[in-house]
Amino acid sequence: KAGVTQTPRYLIKTRGQQVTLSCSPISGHRSVSWYQQTPGQGLQFLFEYFSETQRNKGNFPGRFSGRQFSNSRSEMNVSTLELGDSALYLCASSLAGLAGKNIQYFGAGTRLSVL
Amino acid sequence: AQKVTQAQTEISVVEKEDVTLDCVYETRDTTYYLFWYKQPPSGELVFLIRRNSFDEQNEISGRYSWNFQKSTSSFNFTITASQVVDSAVYFCALIQETSGSRLTFGEGTQLTVNP
């Protein structure tokens, strides 16, 4: 069974640009969550999607958005990039995202560098 | 509000030594789940174990063991006879039943096992 796949693995952008990251969950998993990892703030929850609906959202500005498709694949978009958006963005999938009842399995992440 | 604290930022041991990684958590919920994840240099978070708040039974899996104590709000992780391949960043995490799929992570502990 394939794991969580994130593309691309690396991205370099400049300030003001926008970026879209992609996540393909494990087959059969319907919940996808996104996390940002930085040296200063650690791992922080961005949002969760389930059945194409955002079900939970962390404390990030509106420049961070996402969506989920009918096949459970998810995309995350960051508009008007800032230097502080440089981070490793991790996607996690679970069967149904029912609190801790379903284990979240992570992809290898997309490393975004904003210049 | 929930919080996870991993006071040990870095630990360095010599191969075959035993090592314990500490994790202390805070939550007001009576139902919650605790996790340990391993992050090797490749970046992917690898799931190691999950415990729910009603199960204080300790667990052993090969060289890994976990000690969950609600009385001290701790969920410590011990690696017996450490190996170089155990070198990674280890994260302790918490999900409250009321917080959906939002994982709250500790700061992580960088474990280096030297040959």
Side-chain angles (χ1 to χ4, degrees), chain B residues 38-80:
Chain B
K38 172 183 179 179
Q39 187 176 42
S42 60
E44 179 179 354
L45 281 169
V46 178
F47 166 76
L48 296 176
I49 190 172
R50 172 188 57 185
R51 263 284 173 268
N52 72 53
S53 52
F54 300 108
D55 181 5
E56 281 193 77
Q57 193 171 21
N58 292 331
E59 181 154 338
I60 298 174
S61 175
R63 298 184 295 106
Y64 296 170
S65 63
W66 291 268
N67 183 293
F68 175 28
Q69 291 194 329
K70 286 177 73 172
S71 60
T72 56
S73 297
S74 65
F75 186 42
N76 297 335
F77 172 30
T78 297
I79 302 175
T80 303

Side-chain angles (χ1 to χ4, degrees), chain A residues 25-87:
Chain A
I26 292 170
S27 177
H29 284 193
R30 296 171 62 195
S31 169
V32 173
S33 296
W34 289 88
Y35 294 83
Q36 181 196 64
Q37 185 177 22
T38 61
Q41 300 298 317
L43 278 154
Q44 294 187 288
F45 173 81
L46 280 155
F47 31 63
E48 182 221 356
Y49 285 86
F50 178 78
S51 290
E52 302 178 64
T53 301
Q54 187 180 88
R55 189 161 67 172
N56 208 345
K57 189 177 189 306
N59 296 323
F60 279 82
R63 300 185 297 106
F64 292 82
S65 63
R67 59 176 175 168
Q68 186 180 36
F69 302 95
S70 58
N71 61 358
S72 295
R73 190 177 72 83
S74 177
E75 286 182 348
M76 181 194 129
N77 185 77
V78 187
S79 62
T80 318
L81 283 167
E82 301 177 358
L83 295 178
D85 298 332
S86 295

Side-chain angles (χ1 to χ4, degrees), chain A residues 4 9-10 31 33 35 37 42-45 48 55-59 88 90 94 97-109 111, chain B residues 31-35 37 39 41-52 89 91 95-107:
Chain A
V4 178
R9 290 295 313 277
Y10 302 93
S31 169
S33 296
Y35 294 83
Q37 185 177 22
L43 278 154
Q44 294 187 288
F45 173 81
E48 182 221 356
R55 189 161 67 172
N56 208 345
K57 189 177 189 306
N59 296 323
L88 179 66
L90 291 161
S94 66
L98 297 174
K101 295 184 178 71
N102 299 143
I103 297 166
Q104 292 184 40
Y105 295 94
F106 285 79
R111 187 164 295 282
Chain B
T31 302
Y32 53 90
Y33 300 82
L34 294 164
F35 301 79
Y37 284 88
Q39 187 176 42
S42 60
E44 179 179 354
L45 281 169
V46 178
F47 166 76
L48 296 176
I49 190 172
R50 172 188 57 185
R51 263 284 173 268
N52 72 53
V89 181
F91 290 95
I95 286 184
Q96 300 178 149
E97 189 168 54
T98 55
S99 59
S101 64
R102 181 193 303 230
L103 275 164
T104 296
F105 287 90
E107 304 88 339

